[in-house]
Amino acid sequence: MKILVVCLGNICRSPLAEGILASKLPEHFVVDSAGTISLHEGEQPDKRAVAVAHKYGIDISAQKSRPITPHDFQIYDYIFCMDRTVLHDVIELTDSEEERNKVSLFLEAAGMDVNNCEVKDPYWSDAEGFRETFELLNQASEAICNKLTSKAK
Ligand code: 4NP
């Protein structure tokens, strides 16, 4: 089972979600993340994201930002988007119903009907904003892991 998490820059939200999901899922699951823009391509996650993950025992410092590509739709089984703008932009890249069906909102997949199912961008906030983002992603990741691991059985 292969999962791709997508946000805008791939330096704040989706790197955190990738690290959290990978820490919870069994090893045979593949987890990666990407952005809808290539502005930060090749960069490490934002320092504040690395710091909050580290506090919770997760190392995301080796990740590198990359943009999503059409090839990702062939590789991944689930493509989870952080907000509705990202969802829209990712759907625009799909080529078929089959590819479209892989794409959903991260919080919707988790069954969490909060914030209009959006994980808001913490980029313009502070350490507390990143902590809140981590908590939300952690709770949602737990729910997604439960769903995916019970499906895999
Ligand atoms: P992310 O946050 O989508 O959670 O990685 C952002 C980081 C950088 C920018 C936008 C969003 N930016 O425009 O530089």
mmCIF file with all atom_site columns, all heavy atoms in Angstrom, residues 124-151:
data_model
loop_
_atom_site.group_PDB
_atom_site.id
_atom_site.type_symbol
_atom_site.label_atom_id
_atom_site.label_alt_id
_atom_site.label_comp_id
_atom_site.label_asym_id
_atom_site.label_entity_id
_atom_site.label_seq_id
_atom_site.pdbx_PDB_ins_code
_atom_site.Cartn_x
_atom_site.Cartn_y
_atom_site.Cartn_z
_atom_site.occupancy
_atom_site.B_iso_or_equiv
_atom_site.pdbx_formal_charge
_atom_site.auth_seq_id
_atom_site.auth_comp_id
_atom_site.auth_asym_id
_atom_site.auth_atom_id
_atom_site.pdbx_PDB_model_num
ATOM 1   N N   . TRP A 1 124 ? 2.796   30.870 8.120  1.00 0.00 ? 124 TRP A N   1
ATOM 2   C CA  . TRP A 1 124 ? 2.855   32.263 8.579  1.00 0.00 ? 124 TRP A CA  1
ATOM 3   C C   . TRP A 1 124 ? 2.609   32.375 10.078 1.00 0.00 ? 124 TRP A C   1
ATOM 4   O O   . TRP A 1 124 ? 2.425   33.475 10.598 1.00 0.00 ? 124 TRP A O   1
ATOM 5   C CB  . TRP A 1 124 ? 1.844   33.128 7.802  1.00 0.00 ? 124 TRP A CB  1
ATOM 6   C CG  . TRP A 1 124 ? 2.078   33.042 6.333  1.00 0.00 ? 124 TRP A CG  1
ATOM 7   C CD1 . TRP A 1 124 ? 1.338   32.342 5.418  1.00 0.00 ? 124 TRP A CD1 1
ATOM 8   C CD2 . TRP A 1 124 ? 3.166   33.616 5.601  1.00 0.00 ? 124 TRP A CD2 1
ATOM 9   N NE1 . TRP A 1 124 ? 1.899   32.447 4.169  1.00 0.00 ? 124 TRP A NE1 1
ATOM 10  C CE2 . TRP A 1 124 ? 3.015   33.221 4.249  1.00 0.00 ? 124 TRP A CE2 1
ATOM 11  C CE3 . TRP A 1 124 ? 4.252   34.424 5.960  1.00 0.00 ? 124 TRP A CE3 1
ATOM 12  C CZ2 . TRP A 1 124 ? 3.907   33.609 3.258  1.00 0.00 ? 124 TRP A CZ2 1
ATOM 13  C CZ3 . TRP A 1 124 ? 5.143   34.804 4.961  1.00 0.00 ? 124 TRP A CZ3 1
ATOM 14  C CH2 . TRP A 1 124 ? 4.965   34.398 3.632  1.00 0.00 ? 124 TRP A CH2 1
ATOM 15  N N   . SER A 1 125 ? 2.556   31.249 10.800 1.00 0.00 ? 125 SER A N   1
ATOM 16  C CA  . SER A 1 125 ? 2.314   31.297 12.241 1.00 0.00 ? 125 SER A CA  1
ATOM 17  C C   . SER A 1 125 ? 3.627   31.130 13.010 1.00 0.00 ? 125 SER A C   1
ATOM 18  O O   . SER A 1 125 ? 4.691   31.468 12.515 1.00 0.00 ? 125 SER A O   1
ATOM 19  C CB  . SER A 1 125 ? 1.277   30.244 12.633 1.00 0.00 ? 125 SER A CB  1
ATOM 20  O OG  . SER A 1 125 ? 1.849   28.962 12.630 1.00 0.00 ? 125 SER A OG  1
ATOM 21  N N   . ASP A 1 126 ? 3.533   30.578 14.224 1.00 0.00 ? 126 ASP A N   1
ATOM 22  C CA  . ASP A 1 126 ? 4.712   30.456 15.090 1.00 0.00 ? 126 ASP A CA  1
ATOM 23  C C   . ASP A 1 126 ? 4.836   29.015 15.601 1.00 0.00 ? 126 ASP A C   1
ATOM 24  O O   . ASP A 1 126 ? 4.121   28.125 15.129 1.00 0.00 ? 126 ASP A O   1
ATOM 25  C CB  . ASP A 1 126 ? 4.590   31.438 16.264 1.00 0.00 ? 126 ASP A CB  1
ATOM 26  C CG  . ASP A 1 126 ? 3.261   31.270 16.995 1.00 0.00 ? 126 ASP A CG  1
ATOM 27  O OD1 . ASP A 1 126 ? 2.547   30.267 16.724 1.00 0.00 ? 126 ASP A OD1 1
ATOM 28  O OD2 . ASP A 1 126 ? 2.921   32.117 17.829 1.00 0.00 ? 126 ASP A OD2 1
ATOM 29  N N   . ALA A 1 127 ? 5.696   28.809 16.591 1.00 0.00 ? 127 ALA A N   1
ATOM 30  C CA  . ALA A 1 127 ? 5.917   27.453 17.112 1.00 0.00 ? 127 ALA A CA  1
ATOM 31  C C   . ALA A 1 127 ? 4.618   26.834 17.618 1.00 0.00 ? 127 ALA A C   1
ATOM 32  O O   . ALA A 1 127 ? 4.373   25.639 17.432 1.00 0.00 ? 127 ALA A O   1
ATOM 33  C CB  . ALA A 1 127 ? 6.963   27.485 18.219 1.00 0.00 ? 127 ALA A CB  1
ATOM 34  N N   . GLU A 1 128 ? 3.757   27.661 18.233 1.00 0.00 ? 128 GLU A N   1
ATOM 35  C CA  . GLU A 1 128 ? 2.481   27.167 18.737 1.00 0.00 ? 128 GLU A CA  1
ATOM 36  C C   . GLU A 1 128 ? 1.585   26.708 17.571 1.00 0.00 ? 128 GLU A C   1
ATOM 37  O O   . GLU A 1 128 ? 0.910   25.681 17.661 1.00 0.00 ? 128 GLU A O   1
ATOM 38  C CB  . GLU A 1 128 ? 1.788   28.261 19.572 1.00 0.00 ? 128 GLU A CB  1
ATOM 39  C CG  . GLU A 1 128 ? 0.399   27.928 20.092 1.00 0.00 ? 128 GLU A CG  1
ATOM 40  C CD  . GLU A 1 128 ? 0.325   26.664 20.953 1.00 0.00 ? 128 GLU A CD  1
ATOM 41  O OE1 . GLU A 1 128 ? 1.364   26.189 21.448 1.00 0.00 ? 128 GLU A OE1 1
ATOM 42  O OE2 . GLU A 1 128 ? -0.802  26.138 21.103 1.00 0.00 ? 128 GLU A OE2 1
ATOM 43  N N   . GLY A 1 129 ? 1.607   27.442 16.481 1.00 0.00 ? 129 GLY A N   1
ATOM 44  C CA  . GLY A 1 129 ? 0.852   27.048 15.289 1.00 0.00 ? 129 GLY A CA  1
ATOM 45  C C   . GLY A 1 129 ? 1.335   25.710 14.750 1.00 0.00 ? 129 GLY A C   1
ATOM 46  O O   . GLY A 1 129 ? 0.533   24.870 14.324 1.00 0.00 ? 129 GLY A O   1
ATOM 47  N N   . PHE A 1 130 ? 2.632   25.500 14.782 1.00 0.00 ? 130 PHE A N   1
ATOM 48  C CA  . PHE A 1 130 ? 3.188   24.225 14.318 1.00 0.00 ? 130 PHE A CA  1
ATOM 49  C C   . PHE A 1 130 ? 2.825   23.096 15.268 1.00 0.00 ? 130 PHE A C   1
ATOM 50  O O   . PHE A 1 130 ? 2.581   21.966 14.841 1.00 0.00 ? 130 PHE A O   1
ATOM 51  C CB  . PHE A 1 130 ? 4.712   24.336 14.123 1.00 0.00 ? 130 PHE A CB  1
ATOM 52  C CG  . PHE A 1 130 ? 5.080   24.879 12.772 1.00 0.00 ? 130 PHE A CG  1
ATOM 53  C CD1 . PHE A 1 130 ? 5.018   26.252 12.524 1.00 0.00 ? 130 PHE A CD1 1
ATOM 54  C CD2 . PHE A 1 130 ? 5.459   24.044 11.735 1.00 0.00 ? 130 PHE A CD2 1
ATOM 55  C CE1 . PHE A 1 130 ? 5.328   26.772 11.277 1.00 0.00 ? 130 PHE A CE1 1
ATOM 56  C CE2 . PHE A 1 130 ? 5.761   24.545 10.476 1.00 0.00 ? 130 PHE A CE2 1
ATOM 57  C CZ  . PHE A 1 130 ? 5.704   25.914 10.244 1.00 0.00 ? 130 PHE A CZ  1
ATOM 58  N N   . ARG A 1 131 ? 2.778   23.412 16.577 1.00 0.00 ? 131 ARG A N   1
ATOM 59  C CA  . ARG A 1 131 ? 2.396   22.385 17.553 1.00 0.00 ? 131 ARG A CA  1
ATOM 60  C C   . ARG A 1 131 ? 0.937   21.969 17.327 1.00 0.00 ? 131 ARG A C   1
ATOM 61  O O   . ARG A 1 131 ? 0.611   20.780 17.335 1.00 0.00 ? 131 ARG A O   1
ATOM 62  C CB  . ARG A 1 131 ? 2.591   22.898 18.992 1.00 0.00 ? 131 ARG A CB  1
ATOM 63  C CG  . ARG A 1 131 ? 2.579   21.791 20.052 1.00 0.00 ? 131 ARG A CG  1
ATOM 64  C CD  . ARG A 1 131 ? 2.454   22.338 21.463 1.00 0.00 ? 131 ARG A CD  1
ATOM 65  N NE  . ARG A 1 131 ? 1.242   23.115 21.654 1.00 0.00 ? 131 ARG A NE  1
ATOM 66  C CZ  . ARG A 1 131 ? 0.017   22.600 21.778 1.00 0.00 ? 131 ARG A CZ  1
ATOM 67  N NH1 . ARG A 1 131 ? -0.169  21.289 21.747 1.00 0.00 ? 131 ARG A NH1 1
ATOM 68  N NH2 . ARG A 1 131 ? -1.033  23.383 21.935 1.00 0.00 ? 131 ARG A NH2 1
ATOM 69  N N   . GLU A 1 132 ? 0.075   22.953 17.104 1.00 0.00 ? 132 GLU A N   1
ATOM 70  C CA  . GLU A 1 132 ? -1.340  22.642 16.833 1.00 0.00 ? 132 GLU A CA  1
ATOM 71  C C   . GLU A 1 132 ? -1.490  21.830 15.547 1.00 0.00 ? 132 GLU A C   1
ATOM 72  O O   . GLU A 1 132 ? -2.284  20.895 15.480 1.00 0.00 ? 132 GLU A O   1
ATOM 73  C CB  . GLU A 1 132 ? -2.152  23.943 16.700 1.00 0.00 ? 132 GLU A CB  1
ATOM 74  C CG  . GLU A 1 132 ? -2.449  24.590 18.038 1.00 0.00 ? 132 GLU A CG  1
ATOM 75  C CD  . GLU A 1 132 ? -3.003  26.001 17.894 1.00 0.00 ? 132 GLU A CD  1
ATOM 76  O OE1 . GLU A 1 132 ? -3.403  26.398 16.778 1.00 0.00 ? 132 GLU A OE1 1
ATOM 77  O OE2 . GLU A 1 132 ? -3.022  26.708 18.927 1.00 0.00 ? 132 GLU A OE2 1
ATOM 78  N N   . THR A 1 133 ? -0.713  22.185 14.536 1.00 0.00 ? 133 THR A N   1
ATOM 79  C CA  . THR A 1 133 ? -0.747  21.428 13.269 1.00 0.00 ? 133 THR A CA  1
ATOM 80  C C   . THR A 1 133 ? -0.313  19.990 13.516 1.00 0.00 ? 133 THR A C   1
ATOM 81  O O   . THR A 1 133 ? -0.933  19.040 13.018 1.00 0.00 ? 133 THR A O   1
ATOM 82  C CB  . THR A 1 133 ? 0.174   22.095 12.220 1.00 0.00 ? 133 THR A CB  1
ATOM 83  O OG1 . THR A 1 133 ? -0.276  23.427 12.006 1.00 0.00 ? 133 THR A OG1 1
ATOM 84  C CG2 . THR A 1 133 ? 0.154   21.334 10.894 1.00 0.00 ? 133 THR A CG2 1
ATOM 85  N N   . PHE A 1 134 ? 0.755   19.835 14.304 1.00 0.00 ? 134 PHE A N   1
ATOM 86  C CA  . PHE A 1 134 ? 1.240   18.482 14.615 1.00 0.00 ? 134 PHE A CA  1
ATOM 87  C C   . PHE A 1 134 ? 0.145   17.667 15.308 1.00 0.00 ? 134 PHE A C   1
ATOM 88  O O   . PHE A 1 134 ? -0.113  16.521 14.947 1.00 0.00 ? 134 PHE A O   1
ATOM 89  C CB  . PHE A 1 134 ? 2.496   18.531 15.496 1.00 0.00 ? 134 PHE A CB  1
ATOM 90  C CG  . PHE A 1 134 ? 3.088   17.164 15.722 1.00 0.00 ? 134 PHE A CG  1
ATOM 91  C CD1 . PHE A 1 134 ? 4.141   16.714 14.947 1.00 0.00 ? 134 PHE A CD1 1
ATOM 92  C CD2 . PHE A 1 134 ? 2.563   16.296 16.685 1.00 0.00 ? 134 PHE A CD2 1
ATOM 93  C CE1 . PHE A 1 134 ? 4.665   15.435 15.115 1.00 0.00 ? 134 PHE A CE1 1
ATOM 94  C CE2 . PHE A 1 134 ? 3.070   15.016 16.861 1.00 0.00 ? 134 PHE A CE2 1
ATOM 95  C CZ  . PHE A 1 134 ? 4.127   14.584 16.079 1.00 0.00 ? 134 PHE A CZ  1
ATOM 96  N N   . GLU A 1 135 ? -0.494  18.269 16.314 1.00 0.00 ? 135 GLU A N   1
ATOM 97  C CA  . GLU A 1 135 ? -1.542  17.570 17.084 1.00 0.00 ? 135 GLU A CA  1
ATOM 98  C C   . GLU A 1 135 ? -2.681  17.115 16.169 1.00 0.00 ? 135 GLU A C   1
ATOM 99  O O   . GLU A 1 135 ? -3.171  15.993 16.281 1.00 0.00 ? 135 GLU A O   1
ATOM 100 C CB  . GLU A 1 135 ? -2.113  18.484 18.174 1.00 0.00 ? 135 GLU A CB  1
ATOM 101 C CG  . GLU A 1 135 ? -1.129  18.884 19.265 1.00 0.00 ? 135 GLU A CG  1
ATOM 102 C CD  . GLU A 1 135 ? -0.970  17.819 20.347 1.00 0.00 ? 135 GLU A CD  1
ATOM 103 O OE1 . GLU A 1 135 ? -1.630  16.772 20.251 1.00 0.00 ? 135 GLU A OE1 1
ATOM 104 O OE2 . GLU A 1 135 ? -0.160  18.045 21.265 1.00 0.00 ? 135 GLU A OE2 1
ATOM 105 N N   . LEU A 1 136 ? -3.105  18.015 15.277 1.00 0.00 ? 136 LEU A N   1
ATOM 106 C CA  . LEU A 1 136 ? -4.198  17.694 14.352 1.00 0.00 ? 136 LEU A CA  1
ATOM 107 C C   . LEU A 1 136 ? -3.784  16.561 13.408 1.00 0.00 ? 136 LEU A C   1
ATOM 108 O O   . LEU A 1 136 ? -4.533  15.586 13.206 1.00 0.00 ? 136 LEU A O   1
ATOM 109 C CB  . LEU A 1 136 ? -4.571  18.959 13.560 1.00 0.00 ? 136 LEU A CB  1
ATOM 110 C CG  . LEU A 1 136 ? -5.697  18.847 12.539 1.00 0.00 ? 136 LEU A CG  1
ATOM 111 C CD1 . LEU A 1 136 ? -7.009  18.418 13.201 1.00 0.00 ? 136 LEU A CD1 1
ATOM 112 C CD2 . LEU A 1 136 ? -5.894  20.178 11.807 1.00 0.00 ? 136 LEU A CD2 1
ATOM 113 N N   . LEU A 1 137 ? -2.583  16.670 12.857 1.00 0.00 ? 137 LEU A N   1
ATOM 114 C CA  . LEU A 1 137 ? -2.094  15.636 11.938 1.00 0.00 ? 137 LEU A CA  1
ATOM 115 C C   . LEU A 1 137 ? -1.912  14.306 12.651 1.00 0.00 ? 137 LEU A C   1
ATOM 116 O O   . LEU A 1 137 ? -2.161  13.239 12.086 1.00 0.00 ? 137 LEU A O   1
ATOM 117 C CB  . LEU A 1 137 ? -0.769  16.073 11.296 1.00 0.00 ? 137 LEU A CB  1
ATOM 118 C CG  . LEU A 1 137 ? -0.869  17.241 10.308 1.00 0.00 ? 137 LEU A CG  1
ATOM 119 C CD1 . LEU A 1 137 ? 0.535   17.704 9.898  1.00 0.00 ? 137 LEU A CD1 1
ATOM 120 C CD2 . LEU A 1 137 ? -1.660  16.836 9.073  1.00 0.00 ? 137 LEU A CD2 1
ATOM 121 N N   . ASN A 1 138 ? -1.491  14.375 13.907 1.00 0.00 ? 138 ASN A N   1
ATOM 122 C CA  . ASN A 1 138 ? -1.257  13.152 14.682 1.00 0.00 ? 138 ASN A CA  1
ATOM 123 C C   . ASN A 1 138 ? -2.573  12.415 14.931 1.00 0.00 ? 138 ASN A C   1
ATOM 124 O O   . ASN A 1 138 ? -2.663  11.194 14.754 1.00 0.00 ? 138 ASN A O   1
ATOM 125 C CB  . ASN A 1 138 ? -0.581  13.525 16.003 1.00 0.00 ? 138 ASN A CB  1
ATOM 126 C CG  . ASN A 1 138 ? 0.028   12.321 16.683 1.00 0.00 ? 138 ASN A CG  1
ATOM 127 O OD1 . ASN A 1 138 ? 0.573   11.443 16.022 1.00 0.00 ? 138 ASN A OD1 1
ATOM 128 N ND2 . ASN A 1 138 ? -0.072  12.267 18.003 1.00 0.00 ? 138 ASN A ND2 1
ATOM 129 N N   . GLN A 1 139 ? -3.590  13.177 15.298 1.00 0.00 ? 139 GLN A N   1
ATOM 130 C CA  . GLN A 1 139 ? -4.907  12.587 15.554 1.00 0.00 ? 139 GLN A CA  1
ATOM 131 C C   . GLN A 1 139 ? -5.493  11.994 14.262 1.00 0.00 ? 139 GLN A C   1
ATOM 132 O O   . GLN A 1 139 ? -5.997  10.870 14.252 1.00 0.00 ? 139 GLN A O   1
ATOM 133 C CB  . GLN A 1 139 ? -5.828  13.693 16.096 1.00 0.00 ? 139 GLN A CB  1
ATOM 134 C CG  . GLN A 1 139 ? -7.076  13.182 16.781 1.00 0.00 ? 139 GLN A CG  1
ATOM 135 C CD  . GLN A 1 139 ? -8.006  14.333 17.157 1.00 0.00 ? 139 GLN A CD  1
ATOM 136 O OE1 . GLN A 1 139 ? -7.583  15.483 17.291 1.00 0.00 ? 139 GLN A OE1 1
ATOM 137 N NE2 . GLN A 1 139 ? -9.278  14.038 17.313 1.00 0.00 ? 139 GLN A NE2 1
ATOM 138 N N   . ALA A 1 140 ? -5.373  12.755 13.172 1.00 0.00 ? 140 ALA A N   1
ATOM 139 C CA  . ALA A 1 140 ? -5.905  12.280 11.888 1.00 0.00 ? 140 ALA A CA  1
ATOM 140 C C   . ALA A 1 140 ? -5.128  11.059 11.392 1.00 0.00 ? 140 ALA A C   1
ATOM 141 O O   . ALA A 1 140 ? -5.719  10.119 10.846 1.00 0.00 ? 140 ALA A O   1
ATOM 142 C CB  . ALA A 1 140 ? -5.834  13.408 10.856 1.00 0.00 ? 140 ALA A CB  1
ATOM 143 N N   . SER A 1 141 ? -3.825  11.069 11.595 1.00 0.00 ? 141 SER A N   1
ATOM 144 C CA  . SER A 1 141 ? -2.993  9.949  11.125 1.00 0.00 ? 141 SER A CA  1
ATOM 145 C C   . SER A 1 141 ? -3.353  8.662  11.852 1.00 0.00 ? 141 SER A C   1
ATOM 146 O O   . SER A 1 141 ? -3.356  7.576  11.254 1.00 0.00 ? 141 SER A O   1
ATOM 147 C CB  . SER A 1 141 ? -1.505  10.251 11.336 1.00 0.00 ? 141 SER A CB  1
ATOM 148 O OG  . SER A 1 141 ? -1.128  11.365 10.587 1.00 0.00 ? 141 SER A OG  1
ATOM 149 N N   . GLU A 1 142 ? -3.654  8.791  13.135 1.00 0.00 ? 142 GLU A N   1
ATOM 150 C CA  . GLU A 1 142 ? -4.060  7.623  13.930 1.00 0.00 ? 142 GLU A CA  1
ATOM 151 C C   . GLU A 1 142 ? -5.317  6.985  13.317 1.00 0.00 ? 142 GLU A C   1
ATOM 152 O O   . GLU A 1 142 ? -5.397  5.771  13.137 1.00 0.00 ? 142 GLU A O   1
ATOM 153 C CB  . GLU A 1 142 ? -4.329  8.097  15.374 1.00 0.00 ? 142 GLU A CB  1
ATOM 154 C CG  . GLU A 1 142 ? -4.513  6.998  16.384 1.00 0.00 ? 142 GLU A CG  1
ATOM 155 C CD  . GLU A 1 142 ? -3.223  6.242  16.688 1.00 0.00 ? 142 GLU A CD  1
ATOM 156 O OE1 . GLU A 1 142 ? -2.132  6.848  16.668 1.00 0.00 ? 142 GLU A OE1 1
ATOM 157 O OE2 . GLU A 1 142 ? -3.327  5.033  16.915 1.00 0.00 ? 142 GLU A OE2 1
ATOM 158 N N   . ALA A 1 143 ? -6.282  7.856  12.977 1.00 0.00 ? 143 ALA A N   1
ATOM 159 C CA  . ALA A 1 143 ? -7.539  7.365  12.393 1.00 0.00 ? 143 ALA A CA  1
ATOM 160 C C   . ALA A 1 143 ? -7.295  6.734  11.023 1.00 0.00 ? 143 ALA A C   1
ATOM 161 O O   . ALA A 1 143 ? -7.841  5.670  10.701 1.00 0.00 ? 143 ALA A O   1
ATOM 162 C CB  . ALA A 1 143 ? -8.534  8.524  12.274 1.00 0.00 ? 143 ALA A CB  1
ATOM 163 N N   . ILE A 1 144 ? -6.467  7.377  10.203 1.00 0.00 ? 144 ILE A N   1
ATOM 164 C CA  . ILE A 1 144 ? -6.171  6.842  8.863  1.00 0.00 ? 144 ILE A CA  1
ATOM 165 C C   . ILE A 1 144 ? -5.455  5.496  8.976  1.00 0.00 ? 144 ILE A C   1
ATOM 166 O O   . ILE A 1 144 ? -5.772  4.547  8.256  1.00 0.00 ? 144 ILE A O   1
ATOM 167 C CB  . ILE A 1 144 ? -5.350  7.869  8.042  1.00 0.00 ? 144 ILE A CB  1
ATOM 168 C CG1 . ILE A 1 144 ? -6.254  9.037  7.626  1.00 0.00 ? 144 ILE A CG1 1
ATOM 169 C CG2 . ILE A 1 144 ? -4.703  7.218  6.824  1.00 0.00 ? 144 ILE A CG2 1
ATOM 170 C CD1 . ILE A 1 144 ? -5.552  10.190 6.945  1.00 0.00 ? 144 ILE A CD1 1
ATOM 171 N N   . CYS A 1 145 ? -4.511  5.409  9.900  1.00 0.00 ? 145 CYS A N   1
ATOM 172 C CA  . CYS A 1 145 ? -3.778  4.138  10.099 1.00 0.00 ? 145 CYS A CA  1
ATOM 173 C C   . CYS A 1 145 ? -4.734  3.031  10.510 1.00 0.00 ? 145 CYS A C   1
ATOM 174 O O   . CYS A 1 145 ? -4.630  1.899  10.000 1.00 0.00 ? 145 CYS A O   1
ATOM 175 C CB  . CYS A 1 145 ? -2.707  4.283  11.169 1.00 0.00 ? 145 CYS A CB  1
ATOM 176 S SG  . CYS A 1 145 ? -1.363  5.268  10.603 1.00 0.00 ? 145 CYS A SG  1
ATOM 177 N N   . ASN A 1 146 ? -5.650  3.335  11.409 1.00 0.00 ? 146 ASN A N   1
ATOM 178 C CA  . ASN A 1 146 ? -6.616  2.322  11.840 1.00 0.00 ? 146 ASN A CA  1
ATOM 179 C C   . ASN A 1 146 ? -7.439  1.828  10.660 1.00 0.00 ? 146 ASN A C   1
ATOM 180 O O   . ASN A 1 146 ? -7.664  0.631  10.493 1.00 0.00 ? 146 ASN A O   1
ATOM 181 C CB  . ASN A 1 146 ? -7.538  2.873  12.928 1.00 0.00 ? 146 ASN A CB  1
ATOM 182 C CG  . ASN A 1 146 ? -6.814  2.998  14.257 1.00 0.00 ? 146 ASN A CG  1
ATOM 183 O OD1 . ASN A 1 146 ? -5.796  2.344  14.479 1.00 0.00 ? 146 ASN A OD1 1
ATOM 184 N ND2 . ASN A 1 146 ? -7.316  3.848  15.132 1.00 0.00 ? 146 ASN A ND2 1
ATOM 185 N N   . LYS A 1 147 ? -7.870  2.770  9.820  1.00 0.00 ? 147 LYS A N   1
ATOM 186 C CA  . LYS A 1 147 ? -8.678  2.382  8.655  1.00 0.00 ? 147 LYS A CA  1
ATOM 187 C C   . LYS A 1 147 ? -7.862  1.555  7.674  1.00 0.00 ? 147 LYS A C   1
ATOM 188 O O   . LYS A 1 147 ? -8.327  0.532  7.184  1.00 0.00 ? 147 LYS A O   1
ATOM 189 C CB  . LYS A 1 147 ? -9.193  3.629  7.927  1.00 0.00 ? 147 LYS A CB  1
ATOM 190 C CG  . LYS A 1 147 ? -10.324 4.318  8.653  1.00 0.00 ? 147 LYS A CG  1
ATOM 191 C CD  . LYS A 1 147 ? -10.928 5.400  7.788  1.00 0.00 ? 147 LYS A CD  1
ATOM 192 C CE  . LYS A 1 147 ? -11.965 6.157  8.604  1.00 0.00 ? 147 LYS A CE  1
ATOM 193 N NZ  . LYS A 1 147 ? -12.690 7.147  7.807  1.00 0.00 ? 147 LYS A NZ  1
ATOM 194 N N   . LEU A 1 148 ? -6.655  2.016  7.359  1.00 0.00 ? 148 LEU A N   1
ATOM 195 C CA  . LEU A 1 148 ? -5.854  1.324  6.337  1.00 0.00 ? 148 LEU A CA  1
ATOM 196 C C   . LEU A 1 148 ? -5.369  -0.034 6.811  1.00 0.00 ? 148 LEU A C   1
ATOM 197 O O   . LEU A 1 148 ? -5.309  -0.972 6.030  1.00 0.00 ? 148 LEU A O   1
ATOM 198 C CB  . LEU A 1 148 ? -4.652  2.178  5.927  1.00 0.00 ? 148 LEU A CB  1
ATOM 199 C CG  . LEU A 1 148 ? -4.978  3.471  5.182  1.00 0.00 ? 148 LEU A CG  1
ATOM 200 C CD1 . LEU A 1 148 ? -3.692  4.215  4.816  1.00 0.00 ? 148 LEU A CD1 1
ATOM 201 C CD2 . LEU A 1 148 ? -5.787  3.186  3.915  1.00 0.00 ? 148 LEU A CD2 1
ATOM 202 N N   . THR A 1 149 ? -5.047  -0.156 8.093  1.00 0.00 ? 149 THR A N   1
ATOM 203 C CA  . THR A 1 149 ? -4.540  -1.449 8.565  1.00 0.00 ? 149 THR A CA  1
ATOM 204 C C   . THR A 1 149 ? -5.674  -2.443 8.739  1.00 0.00 ? 149 THR A C   1
ATOM 205 O O   . THR A 1 149 ? -5.481  -3.642 8.533  1.00 0.00 ? 149 THR A O   1
ATOM 206 C CB  . THR A 1 149 ? -3.706  -1.311 9.867  1.00 0.00 ? 149 THR A CB  1
ATOM 207 O OG1 . THR A 1 149 ? -4.463  -0.567 10.809 1.00 0.00 ? 149 THR A OG1 1
ATOM 208 C CG2 . THR A 1 149 ? -2.387  -0.640 9.629  1.00 0.00 ? 149 THR A CG2 1
ATOM 209 N N   . SER A 1 150 ? -6.882  -1.964 9.040  1.00 0.00 ? 150 SER A N   1
ATOM 210 C CA  . SER A 1 150 ? -7.982  -2.935 9.153  1.00 0.00 ? 150 SER A CA  1
ATOM 211 C C   . SER A 1 150 ? -8.428  -3.373 7.756  1.00 0.00 ? 150 SER A C   1
ATOM 212 O O   . SER A 1 150 ? -8.839  -4.512 7.547  1.00 0.00 ? 150 SER A O   1
ATOM 213 C CB  . SER A 1 150 ? -9.152  -2.397 9.970  1.00 0.00 ? 150 SER A CB  1
ATOM 214 O OG  . SER A 1 150 ? -9.671  -1.266 9.357  1.00 0.00 ? 150 SER A OG  1
ATOM 215 N N   . LYS A 1 151 ? -8.273  -2.485 6.740  1.00 0.00 ? 151 LYS A N   1
ATOM 216 C CA  . LYS A 1 151 ? -8.582  -2.841 5.350  1.00 0.00 ? 151 LYS A CA  1
ATOM 217 C C   . LYS A 1 151 ? -7.594  -3.886 4.828  1.00 0.00 ? 151 LYS A C   1
ATOM 218 O O   . LYS A 1 151 ? -7.958  -4.743 4.045  1.00 0.00 ? 151 LYS A O   1
ATOM 219 C CB  . LYS A 1 151 ? -8.469  -1.589 4.470  1.00 0.00 ? 151 LYS A CB  1
ATOM 220 C CG  . LYS A 1 151 ? -9.752  -1.229 3.773  1.00 0.00 ? 151 LYS A CG  1
ATOM 221 C CD  . LYS A 1 151 ? -9.545  -0.039 2.875  1.00 0.00 ? 151 LYS A CD  1
ATOM 222 C CE  . LYS A 1 151 ? -10.721 0.903  2.965  1.00 0.00 ? 151 LYS A CE  1
ATOM 223 N NZ  . LYS A 1 151 ? -10.522 2.134  2.224  1.00 0.00 ? 151 LYS A NZ  1
#
